[in-house]
Amino acid sequence: MNHYQAISLLSPITMGKYRIAACPRPLGSGRFEAQVSIASGRGSASTDRVMRFCDDFSTHEAAAHYALSQGINWVCETTRTQ
């Protein structure tokens, strides 16, 4: 993975009314926890759902990729049922 691909994994993406951002977190073991933030709305009507996942990853980029894909899946499932 090159520098530009790594940056794009950390850049939030927008799907409809949702803003999805990967937020990998380093663990004490040197591995990384995958987390994703899914935000919608503005001002006092805004919401932000943060999901943390049990699996850990060897690289920051792998954790970001997993988190982003899970966030996209959540938005797709949520908007499909509305």
Side-chain angles (χ1 to χ4, degrees), residues 2-13:
N2 66 39
H3 176 72
Y4 296 107
Q5 289 170 318
I7 289 173
S8 69
L9 283 175
L10 296 177
S11 300
I13 64 167

Side-chain angles (χ1 to χ4, degrees), residues 24-82:
R25 189 175 72 96
L27 299 171
S29 64
R31 295 180 64 84
F32 295 86
E33 174 184 56
Q35 299 182 126
V36 66
S37 164
I38 304 169
S40 64
R42 290 181 181 244
S44 62
S46 67
T47 61
D48 189 4
R49 172 185 304 273
V50 176
M51 292 186 273
R52 294 178 179 90
F53 304 98
C54 294
D55 294 339
D56 61 343
F57 298 86
S58 59
T59 66
H60 188 266
E61 292 79 16
H65 179 74
Y66 182 82
L68 194 58
S69 67
Q70 293 302 307
I72 291 168
N73 288 343
W74 185 89
V75 169
C76 288
E77 288 295 318
T78 298
T79 55
R80 185 166 50 121
T81 60
Q82 292 179 350

